[in-house]
Amino acid sequence: MNTRDWPIRAKLTALVIGPVTALLALWVFATTLTFGPALDLLAARTLLYDLGRPGEAVVAELQRERRLSVVQLADDTTLPALAEQRLRTDRAVAELRRRVAGDDLRDAADDHLDTRLDQLVAALDALPAGRGFIDARQVDRAGAVGLYSGMISSAFQAFSAMATLPDAELNRQALALTALGRSRELLNQTDALLAGALAAGRFAAGEHDQLVRAIDNQRFLAETAVADLPAAERTAYRRLTEGEPFVRLSALQDALIGADGLPPQLDVRTWESSQAAVQQGLREFELSGADKLAERSVPMAVGILVRLAAAGVLGLLAIVVCVLVALRVGRSLAGRLTGVRTAALEMAEHRLPDVVARLRRGEEVDVAREAPELDHGGDEIGQVGHAFNEVRRTAVQAAVDEVTLRRGLNEVFLNIARRSQGLVHRQLALLDRLERRTEDPDELAGLFQVDHLATRLRRHAEDLVILAGAAPGRGWRNPVAAVDVIRGAISEVESYDRVDVGVVQPAGVLGRAVGDVIHLLAELIENATVFSPPGTRVDVSGQAVPNGYAVEITDRGLGMSPRVLEDANRKLARSPEFDPAGSARLGHFVVGRLAARHGVRVQLRPAVPGGTTAVVLIPADLVTDEPAVGPTGPGDGATRGDDLRMAKVTRLNALPRPRATRPGRERPESATPVLPFAAGRGSSVEAAEDGDGLPRRVRRRGPVARPRPAVTDTPAHRPPEEVRRKMSALQAGTARGRRDGARAIANPTAPTADAAPDRAAESAPPAPAPEPLTATERDA
């Protein structure tokens, strides 16, 4: 048996449990040997008053009912006295059943007596059926005598089972009284047989022989039982049998034995009076003997209990002393060891994690206060406690150092990220100026590719900010259309040309969450493009749901195993702490942080027939109605920065804003991805109108290549009035095109008012480009 992993209390208990158990076993054995007989003696009174008295009453009533039943069977008349006797018998049987079903009698009875009681109850259950046979005269007189005699015999068997007293003398007297009761039962059987013969005028076949056997057995049982009675009881019984009723009854019995049938000189009145007197005398003698037997058992039981107390108290004191000593010593050792263990568990499970959490929140921690000195004594246990104090102090100090180091690394990440963000913003501003001054389509396409790379660099710089636990900083003042948010996310993905925008139901996203939602969607879309074959497409769609707005991103890759999918969903469901060991899933960490910041729910699920679908649920408190397309009045000037910024981030998307009524997915006609612009200039592109009225630039070349203009650092001087006029014209035209597109969707059959001017614009010379946006206007 390996006891190495036992608790200290179990080990200390095992040291003393052997001697204490042995002593306790000896005490229990001695107590049981003495206490058991005492309980049996005390139970004798319970058996007498709960079984003996009610059982004897049932026997007496059954004997009377038996005699009347035999007399009725001997004649053709019905005896009214039999019905009255049956009522008295039923009352006696009901009382006996109540006592037998009680807990007192069952607790005092042993297994053998329980069996006899069940047999007695089963025999009494046959009484109603037997009465039916008697009333229908389907049984003769001998059968009736046998029916009742069987029930009475079951009662005497139960009385015999009561005679299991521990004292041999008392047990012998109890059996003698039971035998006297049986002899009285045989005497009553003789009376029933004779009464039936007198009513019929003769004995039936075999009845005389049965009567003779009953008289002989009665005399034998009485003689044998009296021999086991004490001297005083024997003398009392002898005086009873020498009385006149016994003498007359004995003479009449001899006359019945000697006659061949009914003796003609038999005096019936003398028989009945003598029989009743003898029955009453014998019954009183038996009840008196039973009472004396119960009274003698109580002093005997008290004497046994006194001896038990004298022997048991000493043994119990010895056991108590041993247990107290063991408890005192064991409790002292176990308490001290438990104190050391509790201190260790508290430090490992509560105090140390609390210290780390407080340090991460930026609170100051006192090492001496968080790891106080604990005194556990000067013995071996105290030395272990002292060593643990040192370990605990070192652990707290190490936690402080570790959190301080992590905080420093976060500051380094944040510093590098902020510097990178500043450089990327300056780079984007420079690229914007170069794009607006470049007219060559090839160079312009290259600049837009560099612009796209810079946009992705900005997102990766924001990843570092998120890793450091800070906010990226981009934001919008006003709501932005959901389709523009999706386009902005696609524009930050490397393989944007593989992304198809499906049906996007109209909705708006509050400006405070636009930047983070774009970043979140961009991370998921990039994962979809990276972990799917290059020739497959990635589908993005959006729809309004009862509790917000759902964006679905579906790839056609190999998918994820159920275990990996479950682990990824668990990380996305909460804002995890950054773990450098999980850098392979850095995008999931960023998505989880961004989702937790705004209450966005992200879940990955298998796609059909293959791949993975990412469902992004934007909560309802971040969703609003889709903002109006373009300015609607003079008060909209405050939104110009946001509109221009969204135009900038969505220009890499080759698809216009889809509407719910558009069937299916639209793709560009050319195989090469088209780089649309929201605003720009140059003669190398022409304007084409989409279904929703938004302009889209398409590359074209003239028949003769024009010489490339020289790029100078000094921009051409333009009067402010000219710049203001051209910008107002561009803004008004864009707003008119969006309004016409919205009306065309609402009423597809209606002609567009500005269709002819837009088509004429294709051959008109390009308008000058607006002034480049500043870094503040481009990104928040």
Side-chain angles (χ1 to χ4, degrees):
M1 181 173 57
N2 185 14
T3 61
R4 181 177 181 179
D5 297 331
W6 285 15
I8 187 62
R9 292 185 182 274
K11 294 179 180 180
L12 294 175
T13 303
L15 293 176
V16 298
I17 196 172
V20 172
T21 302
L23 186 58
L24 182 62
L26 290 176
W27 182 81
V28 171
F29 179 73
T31 303
T32 303
L33 290 179
T34 310
F35 193 65
L39 291 180
D40 293 339
L41 289 172
L42 292 176
R45 293 178 62 87
T46 302
L47 297 177
L48 174 63
Y49 291 109
D50 286 354
L51 177 60
R53 290 295 177 84
E56 193 277 333
V58 170
V59 169
E61 299 299 336
L62 288 175
Q63 289 172 347
R64 297 188 186 99
E65 184 176 340
R66 177 178 58 190
R67 188 178 188 280
L68 293 174
S69 298
V70 172
V71 171
Q72 178 174 289
L73 288 173
D75 197 358
D76 293 336
T77 60
T78 301
L79 298 178
L82 179 59
E84 297 177 0
Q85 179 58 43
R86 285 178 177 177
L87 293 176
R88 290 192 294 269
T89 304
D90 290 340
R91 286 194 293 269
V93 170
E95 177 63 19
L96 178 62
R97 289 179 183 274
R98 187 181 67 82
R99 296 294 183 92
V100 169
D103 295 334
D104 295 339
L105 179 59
R106 290 292 184 175
D107 292 340
D110 56 5
D111 295 339
H112 182 60
L113 181 56
D114 280 337
T115 303
R116 293 293 176 86
L117 290 176
D118 294 338
Q119 293 175 357
L120 174 59
V121 172
L124 292 176
D125 291 338
L127 181 59
R131 289 173 176 174
F133 289 129
I134 292 173
D135 293 340
R137 297 184 181 277
Q138 295 178 356
V139 62
D140 56 3
R141 299 195 301 269
V145 171
L147 172 66
Y148 287 96
S149 299
M151 300 178 194
I152 296 172
S153 177
S154 297
F156 278 107
Q157 290 176 2
F159 297 157
S160 300
M162 292 168 52
T164 56
L165 301 176
D167 186 78
E169 183 64 24
L170 294 178
N171 198 36
R172 187 167 55 251
Q173 295 176 21
L175 291 174
L177 291 175
T178 303
L180 283 177
R182 286 180 179 274
S183 69
R184 184 164 59 87
E185 157 61 14
L186 291 174
L187 183 61
N188 195 278
Q189 285 185 23
T190 304
D191 179 60
L193 290 172
L194 182 59
L198 291 174
R202 62 185 180 82
F203 283 111
E207 282 187 348
H208 184 265
D209 294 338
Q210 185 178 358
L211 183 142
V212 172
R213 288 194 300 271
I215 293 174
D216 291 339
N217 291 335
Q218 179 263 326
R219 291 177 176 178
F220 173 77
L221 283 176
E223 195 175 323
T224 305
V226 171
D228 290 334
L229 292 175
E233 278 76 4
R234 284 199 303 269
T235 303
Y237 184 80
R238 190 178 301 111
R239 285 197 302 267
L240 181 63
T241 57
E242 290 175 355
E244 183 178 356
F246 267 88
V247 174
R248 287 199 307 267
L249 183 62
S250 180
L252 292 174
Q253 287 178 342
D254 293 339
L256 288 172
I257 293 173
D260 219 1
L262 283 175
Q265 71 279 10
L266 180 64
D267 188 354
V268 177
R269 290 183 179 275
T270 303
W271 170 269
E272 291 178 352
S273 61
S274 301
Q275 171 73 17
V278 170
Q279 285 282 347
Q280 184 65 28
L282 289 176
R283 185 183 180 190
E284 291 177 356
F285 180 82
E286 293 170 14
L287 294 177
S288 176
D291 290 339
K292 293 178 182 179
L293 186 65
E295 291 175 359
R296 287 198 298 268
S297 65
V298 174
M300 191 175 298
V302 172
I304 295 175
L305 291 176
V306 170
R307 293 194 299 270
L308 172 65
V313 168
L314 294 177
L316 185 60
L317 287 176
I319 294 174
V320 170
V321 170
C322 292
V323 171
L324 289 177
V325 172
L327 287 177
R328 185 175 181 83
V329 176
R331 183 178 299 175
S332 176
L333 293 175
R336 296 173 63 193
L337 292 174
T338 303
V340 177
R341 184 199 63 179
T342 303
L345 292 178
E346 182 184 2
M347 172 57 63
E349 297 178 358
H350 301 286
R351 191 179 292 271
L352 192 58
D354 180 66
V355 168
V356 174
R358 288 161 54 194
L359 287 171
R360 289 176 178 174
R361 292 195 300 265
E363 300 180 11
E364 294 295 332
V365 174
D366 186 4
V367 177
R369 180 174 173 272
E370 297 297 333
E373 187 75 19
L374 299 178
D375 185 15
H376 295 281
D379 58 356
E380 289 83 355
I381 298 177
Q383 295 172 6
V384 173
H386 179 71
F388 172 71
N389 287 331
E390 297 298 328
V391 172
R392 182 172 57 174
R393 188 179 298 106
T394 303
V396 173
Q397 186 63 48
V400 172
D401 296 341
E402 188 269 339
V403 173
T404 303
L405 177 60
R406 177 173 292 189
R407 188 183 302 164
L409 289 177
N410 287 341
E411 294 294 336
V412 171
F413 285 163
L414 187 60
N415 190 7
I416 295 175
R418 294 302 186 193
R419 293 183 180 183
S420 299
Q421 277 187 316
L423 293 176
V424 171
H425 288 170
R426 292 169 58 189
Q427 181 181 3
L428 288 171
L430 177 60
L431 288 171
D432 193 41
R433 291 195 298 270
L434 293 177
E435 290 167 1
R436 294 181 181 278
R437 291 189 308 213
T438 301
E439 298 182 358
D440 184 86
D442 294 330
E443 291 185 1
L444 192 60
L447 288 176
F448 275 116
Q449 292 294 336
V450 176
D451 193 327
H452 181 218
L453 294 176
T455 303
R456 291 169 56 205
L457 284 175
R458 178 184 60 189
R459 178 164 61 87
H460 294 319
E462 290 179 354
D463 288 344
L464 287 178
V465 175
I466 295 172
L467 290 179
R474 275 197 298 167
W476 275 256
R477 290 184 296 273
N478 298 309
V480 177
V483 65
D484 291 334
V485 172
I486 295 175
R487 285 174 170 176
I490 296 174
S491 69
E492 297 186 4
V493 177
E494 179 179 5
S495 301
Y496 62 87
D497 56 335
R498 292 174 48 202
V499 181
D500 295 335
V501 179
V503 176
V504 180
Q505 295 182 0
V509 180
L510 294 183
R512 61 184 172 86
V514 168
D516 290 340
V517 174
I518 290 176
H519 195 148
L520 185 150
L521 295 177
E523 292 288 345
L524 294 174
I525 294 173
E526 186 163 34
N527 280 349
T529 59
V530 170
F531 293 100
S532 60
T536 60
R537 310 294 297 178
V538 174
D539 298 328
V540 182
S541 62
Q543 61 179 343
V545 293
N547 54 346
Y549 193 86
V551 179
E552 292 189 2
I553 303 166
T554 304
D555 63 51
R556 296 295 182 266
L558 297 177
M560 305 170 67
S561 64
R563 184 183 63 81
V564 176
L565 197 66
E566 180 181 0
D567 182 66
N569 283 326
R570 186 169 57 251
K571 292 180 180 178
L572 293 174
R574 55 185 176 86
S575 179
E577 292 292 337
F578 175 62
D579 184 8
S583 58
R585 302 287 182 180
L586 187 60
H588 288 173
F589 172 79
V590 174
V591 170
R593 278 284 182 89
L594 294 174
R597 181 175 300 159
H598 297 286
V600 178
R601 293 172 55 189
V602 181
Q603 185 180 20
L604 304 180
R605 59 182 64 168
V608 178
T612 304
T613 297
V615 181
V616 180
L617 179 61
I618 304 173
D621 58 350
L622 297 180
V623 180
T624 182
D625 296 334
E626 186 177 61
V629 181
T632 60
D636 294 331
T639 64
R640 172 177 173 79
D642 287 351
D643 293 339
L644 292 176
R645 194 174 339 134
M646 285 308 303
K648 182 69 176 177
V649 298
T650 60
R651 66 186 177 187
L652 284 178
N653 186 16
L655 295 176
R657 178 186 298 186
R659 297 297 179 187
T661 58
R662 169 176 290 174
R665 179 185 303 147
E666 293 190 4
R667 296 284 305 276
E669 295 180 0
S670 61
T672 305
V674 181
L675 301 177
F677 315 109
R681 62 185 178 127
S683 60
S684 59
V685 292
E686 65 178 359
E689 183 179 345
D690 273 326
D692 58 357
L694 294 178
R696 181 168 61 89
R697 296 281 180 112
V698 181
R699 179 196 302 270
R700 71 175 180 84
R701 285 187 181 273
V704 179
R706 292 178 298 177
R708 180 177 304 173
V711 178
T712 61
D713 295 334
T714 304
H717 175 72
R718 284 179 288 182
E721 292 78 5
E722 180 184 357
V723 174
R724 186 182 305 108
R725 184 175 62 256
K726 293 184 180 296
M727 290 299 296
S728 298
L730 176 64
Q731 184 177 9
T734 303
R736 184 174 63 255
R738 291 187 178 183
R739 286 196 301 271
D740 292 343
R743 285 197 298 270
I745 292 173
N747 189 6
T749 60
T752 304
D754 298 329
D758 289 341
R759 285 192 299 270
E762 295 180 2
S763 59
E771 290 295 327
L773 304 179
T774 63
T776 305
E777 291 176 333
R778 298 178 71 257
D779 300 298

